[in-house]
Amino acid sequence: MDDLRAVQHELEKIILDPKYHQPLVLLKAVRNGLVYGTKIRFPHALVMVTLFRSGTVRQKIALILKATRQHAMNLAKFAFLYKGSMLALKNVNGGKEESVHAFLAGLFGGYWVFGQGG
């Protein structure tokens, strides 16, 4: 039990250390992209495949899981590129965020994730 508390204490020190803030922001963005992509796409794919696709139950489940995985991965990639770009632009600008940074980061992330035929 003491080992578990020691590990928890060390993790808390890392999480609360300001020098790890930016990498943790990127990690959280990826996690949120995966979770949100799954929460949104799975029910949609379930309904659409069930209603409008033919095939066996196994084929339908495979299509649902494939669509869900692809959507979650795309949102995770976009979130990573968006947050990474926002952090980079903020650092280049002396630690200040400008309103144009969100536009540029969204443009960059959207192009690389959704604009290249993928």
Side-chain angles (χ1 to χ4, degrees), residues 64-112:
I64 292 166
L65 294 177
K66 182 180 177 186
T68 301
R69 180 179 177 271
Q70 183 65 47
H71 189 73
M73 290 300 292
N74 281 347
L75 284 180
K77 289 175 193 174
F78 175 79
F80 178 80
L81 291 171
Y82 176 81
K83 282 293 191 179
S85 300
M86 287 292 289
L87 290 172
L89 290 168
K90 181 179 175 181
N91 288 340
V92 168
N93 197 35
K96 293 182 182 180
E97 269 187 26
E98 300 288 338
S99 58
V100 72
H101 291 172
F103 172 74
L104 294 173
L107 189 66
F108 175 72
Y111 175 76
W112 282 104

Side-chain angles (χ1 to χ4, degrees), residues 36-54 57 59-72:
Y36 185 73
T38 301
K39 283 172 55 175
I40 295 302
R41 185 61 169 166
F42 180 77
H44 180 263
L46 179 66
V47 169
M48 298 305 285
V49 169
T50 302
L51 291 178
F52 300 113
R53 287 293 190 111
S54 60
V57 172
Q59 290 170 329
K60 288 182 178 185
I61 290 171
L63 285 171
I64 292 166
L65 294 177
K66 182 180 177 186
T68 301
R69 180 179 177 271
Q70 183 65 47
H71 189 73

Side-chain angles (χ1 to χ4, degrees), residues 1-41:
M1 193 65 154
D2 288 332
D3 291 337
L4 184 60
R5 288 183 199 262
V7 169
Q8 183 180 5
H9 178 69
E10 289 302 314
L11 286 174
E12 283 180 14
K13 280 183 10 185
I14 291 171
I15 289 170
L16 297 175
D17 191 340
K19 74 179 179 183
Y20 296 116
H21 177 72
Q22 291 183 353
L24 290 174
V25 164
L26 294 176
L27 184 64
K28 184 178 177 183
V30 170
R31 179 228 171 246
N32 288 346
L34 288 171
V35 169
Y36 185 73
T38 301
K39 283 172 55 175
I40 295 302
R41 185 61 169 166

